Amino acid sequence: MSGGSTYQTCLASVGGDTDALLECVAGTLDAAMNTATDSVTNSVNTFFLIFAAILVFFMQTGFAMICAGSVRVNNVQNTLLKNLLDACGASLGFYTVGYAFAFGGSFSNPSQTTFIGNTNFFLMDVENQAFWLFQFAFAATSATIVAGTLAERCQMSAYLCYSVALSAFVYPVVVHSIWSNNGFLSANNSNPLLGIGMVD
């Protein structure tokens, strides 16, 4: 809203009273400034959340290099493909049910303690996609940590099943219990474990 239209609107609503006119113009401009500040703050927060997710996801490449360096030359391609499929399997598991088990329902009813989340399957009604990406990066990285120990020791299909199972159920259950508002170990729970909850 430009200054002239704000002035005209306030003049029409308060009449000729100078003090009321100044209060109306200042209030209108202050509300517009707060809206703009909130928008910039949300944009910066989203940027840094996505940037942090990218940094965490790049840990996948580090684990891939460790795995490639710890196997025989003829198994390097197999190990790198296993790491790539690990990220793909983690994305399927976390997208379908993992995020729902980890954070489903924790923002709508924080007073209720649950074992796992019960909403937001397939990202239904998820408003903050950047938060999902950040959490997915951690889920995928946690599944990749054991890739080096299984190099040359596991079939590809078994490893893919492990990756999906870890990112769809095991990791989300731990995340829900500690970092969700509804988790029984969460410090944000209305009735945390031993009065304080998990301290990390």
Side-chain angles (χ1 to χ4, degrees):
M1 193 182 287
S2 66
S5 61
T6 301
Y7 173 77
Q8 294 296 331
T9 303
C10 288
L11 185 62
S13 66
V14 297
D17 186 11
T18 307
D19 290 337
L21 180 63
L22 288 175
E23 286 180 17
C24 177
V25 169
T28 305
L29 294 177
D30 189 40
M33 182 64 112
N34 287 339
T35 302
T37 302
D38 290 344
S39 176
V40 169
T41 301
N42 288 338
S43 298
V44 170
N45 287 343
T46 301
F47 167 76
F48 279 114
L49 197 59
I50 292 172
F51 181 69
I54 290 169
L55 290 178
V56 171
F57 195 74
F58 267 114
M59 291 173 68
Q60 297 271 3
T61 59
F63 287 122
M65 295 303 112
I66 286 175
C67 292
S70 65
V71 298
R72 295 174 298 194
V73 175
N74 59 340
N75 288 329
V76 169
Q77 288 181 344
N78 184 30
T79 301
L80 292 177
L81 180 62
K82 198 177 285 188
N83 277 280
L84 178 65
L85 288 178
D86 193 20
C88 295
S91 66
L92 286 175
F94 202 70
Y95 169 76
T96 55
V97 295
Y99 183 82
F101 287 162
F103 293 101
S106 63
F107 302 110
S108 60
N109 189 7
S111 63
Q112 179 184 8
T113 302
T114 57
F115 176 66
I116 57 175
N118 52 11
T119 59
N120 304 118
F121 294 96
F122 293 92
L123 297 185
M124 296 283 206
D125 302 323
V126 172
E127 296 175 6
N128 193 348
Q129 304 290 337
F131 182 71
W132 177 86
L133 180 68
F134 182 69
Q135 295 300 326
F136 157 70
F138 275 103
T141 302
S142 70
T144 306
I145 288 174
V146 301
T149 61
L150 296 175
E152 298 180 331
R153 295 174 182 88
C154 183
Q155 289 186 355
M156 190 78 70
S157 58
Y159 187 76
L160 186 60
C161 289
Y162 148 80
S163 175
V164 171
L166 189 118
S167 62
F169 186 73
V170 177
Y171 178 80
V173 167
V174 174
V175 167
H176 182 80
S177 64
I178 297 172
W179 291 291
S180 172
N181 294 335
N182 300 39
F184 70 96
L185 294 175
S186 176
N188 298 328
N189 194 327
S190 60
N191 186 15
L193 180 71
L194 301 176
I196 58 168
M198 173 69 178
V199 179
D200 56 354

